[in-house]
Amino acid sequence: MQTRPLVLITGASRGIGAATARLAAAQGWDVAINYARDEAAAEAVADAVRAAGRRALTLCADVAHEGQVRAMFATLDRRLQEDGTRLAGLVNNAGVVDVAARVDEMSGARLQRMFAVNVFGTMLCAREAVRRMSTQHGGSGGSIVNLSSVAARLGAPGQYVDYAAAKGAVDVFTLGLAREVAAEGVRVNAVRPGVIDTEIHASGGQPERAQRLAPSLPMLRPGRADEVAQAIVWLLSDAASYTSGAVLDVGGAR
Ligand code: NAP
């Protein structure tokens, strides 16, 4: 049976994840749309994927919870078997910031959540994907793209050093995993967005952040979610067949 490629995108109900889902569908991918809370938004993204002629499913799971990640992949396994589809891509996009604070003001709970979602969520989903994609596990290979941040280079002092540190961990995880599975048909890369105009800034208590920073950005404007999606979908694709272990800045020269 001819199998069709599917990409699972975490945190795809809005922002960069939703833009990636739409672009991936336009380029021939079936798409599994993970979200944490906003089912209606995830379903709207699924409708857009279907309108592009591809299959879509939505999967609710908090990527920070191992049990929910396992359950999400088990559901995906069942659907893939029914549909003659194979998991060929994973985009670890789900991510969180927090309100601006100095390190000496940060609670332990904040630090735990920052790493639970941004780092452990990425690692748990990557683990499940490798178990399905790696030729060592009987898979047919695949591509994993992790969302890092330019903050990993800048450190984000006075804003969210915890977030920057978590994204730094994502960069190193990307390098290590890429080398670990390179001979097993799995490529692993990261994209480091700069300031992108999405709702993540509102979730950090600064809804106007992207526009406020615009005059200080090298291109004098924030990036758009669809501009980051272009890099992600390229890394997913066979056009990037010899690109692995790369960390690609999409930061408008920031
Ligand atoms: P966003 O607009 O805030 O969207 C975040 C998405 O992640 C939503 O779909 C949300 O789903 C989901 N999500 C949050 N926590 C989750 C969890 N625990 N489990 C599963 N899903 C979860 O963010 P964005 O700006 O598109 O950012 C996407 C990625 O790019 C993140 O990793 C972020 O760190 C990175 N990034 C963004 C920027 C930027 O300026 N925007 C810059 C650098 C890096 P629900 O709505 O259902 O909760």
Side-chain angles (χ1 to χ4, degrees):
M1 180 173 56
Q2 183 73 30
T3 58
R4 303 149 52 111
L6 175 139
V7 57
L8 167 63
I9 306 172
T10 66
S13 59
R14 64 170 190 263
I16 294 168
T20 304
R22 290 194 184 92
L23 184 64
Q27 298 197 5
W29 291 84
D30 290 345
V31 186
I33 296 147
N34 160 259
Y35 65 99
R37 284 168 300 270
D38 194 344
E39 182 180 4
E43 288 300 338
V45 176
D47 286 345
V49 169
R50 292 184 194 111
R54 310 308 307 181
R55 294 185 200 195
L57 71 151
T58 57
L59 297 164
C60 181
D62 180 341
V63 298
H65 282 88
E66 184 171 16
Q68 292 185 32
V69 170
R70 281 183 190 275
M72 172 171 72
F73 274 86
T75 302
L76 195 55
D77 288 341
R78 285 194 294 277
R79 288 292 296 270
L80 297 187
Q81 222 166 16
E82 286 164 13
D83 293 354
T85 309
R86 75 180 176 88
L87 181 67
L90 166 68
V91 180
N92 274 313
N93 170 79
V96 291
V97 294
D98 210 320
V99 295
R102 288 167 48 99
V103 171
D104 53 16
E105 299 166 336
M106 291 176 188
S107 68
R110 168 179 169 142
L111 300 179
Q112 296 279 354
R113 172 175 171 268
M114 197 62 79
F115 274 69
V117 177
N118 293 314
V119 183
F120 301 140
T122 293
M123 295 175 79
L124 289 168
C125 290
R127 180 191 72 190
E128 294 304 314
V130 167
R131 287 176 177 172
R132 288 156 177 82
M133 294 172 174
S134 163
T135 53
Q136 189 159 301
H137 291 282
S140 315
S143 174
I144 297 173
V145 181
N146 299 323
L147 268 290
S148 173
S149 170
V150 163
R153 278 201 285 101
L154 303 177
Q159 286 280 309
Y160 24 63
V161 169
D162 51 348
Y163 172 78
K167 293 300 191 180
V170 168
D171 287 357
V172 177
F173 176 66
T174 300
L175 291 179
L177 183 63
R179 289 173 182 168
E180 198 164 279
V181 298
E184 300 167 23
V186 182
R187 294 182 298 104
V188 187
N189 294 286
V191 168
R192 271 199 204 125
V195 178
I196 309 300
D197 198 358
T198 71
E199 291 172 43
I200 201 169
H201 309 293
S203 71
Q206 304 182 66
E208 79 305 337
R209 180 170 182 265
Q211 293 309 327
R212 188 187 74 229
L213 291 177
S216 69
L217 299 174
M219 288 192 183
L220 304 175
R221 67 167 180 88
R224 299 186 311 270
D226 64 282
E227 293 176 302
V228 183
Q230 290 285 350
I232 296 170
V233 174
W234 175 71
L235 286 168
L236 279 177
S237 77
D238 288 343
S241 54
Y242 201 61
T243 303
S244 194
V247 180
L248 175 58
D249 278 31
V250 184
R254 190 168 195 231

